[in-house]
Amino acid sequence: MSGSCASRALRERFETIRRAEIERLTKKLRGLSDDERRSVEAITLDMIHALVRVPERVLAAESSEPAAQALIRLFGL
């Protein structure tokens, strides 16, 4: 898996987790207004972007294959 594929897979993995957690917390989030729900969506998306930013930089480097393999193993990509 190339660095760009690993990066995309990592984002997808985190997004899947984010959506599952929001779904799991549906009862707790039920009382939120539409604006508040959009805020939750925006905040959690920003968190994913922040978490993936550093690995993406490493994967963009020329010697990204070891990093890609490490991410694949760590996150089960």
Side-chain angles (χ1 to χ4, degrees):
M1 181 181 291
S2 71
S4 63
C5 288
S7 177
R8 188 170 34 259
L10 185 61
R11 271 188 188 276
E12 289 171 3
R13 173 71 133 191
F14 285 177
E15 176 61 16
T16 299
I17 293 168
R18 183 187 78 83
R19 285 185 183 166
E21 287 302 302
I22 287 176
E23 180 64 29
R24 185 180 68 81
L25 296 169
T26 297
K27 286 183 182 178
K28 290 183 179 183
L29 300 175
R30 193 172 306 189
L32 298 180
S33 69
D34 288 342
D35 284 342
E36 291 168 329
R37 277 181 107 24
R38 282 191 290 274
S39 290
V40 168
E41 289 285 332
I43 290 166
T44 56
L45 281 171
D46 287 346
M47 290 170 61
I48 287 174
H49 292 283
L51 290 168
V52 174
R53 194 173 301 134
V54 172
E56 283 183 330
R57 285 186 200 143
V58 172
L59 292 171
E62 290 180 27
S63 59
S64 66
E65 187 58 29
Q69 291 304 314
L71 283 175
I72 291 165
R73 290 182 66 201
L74 283 170
F75 293 100
L77 307 177

